[in-house]
Amino acid sequence: MGLYLITFFLLVVGIIGISILIASRNREEDAYSDLETGEWDCPECGFHVQAGTACIYCGAEKK
């Protein structure tokens, strides 16, 4: 009984390890790396924009 438990445990740990290895190798570049995340206040309407280069209310561009 003990040998089966150890074998099962090693098998599960091996499968998890291989899954993590495959997932880390298939990781692409960060999808949000090109997003401007600096906060700014719109000069036209005063809205506090939290991400991006254009105001979502009036469409003014960040200066």
Side-chain angles (χ1 to χ4, degrees), residues 43-54:
E44 299 293 324
C45 67
F47 178 73
H48 184 73
V49 180
Q50 295 179 344
T53 58

Side-chain angles (χ1 to χ4, degrees), residues 5 15 19 21 31 33 38 40-41 45 50:
L5 187 61
I15 290 172
S19 299
L21 181 66
S33 63
W40 55 282
D41 292 322
C45 67
Q50 295 179 344

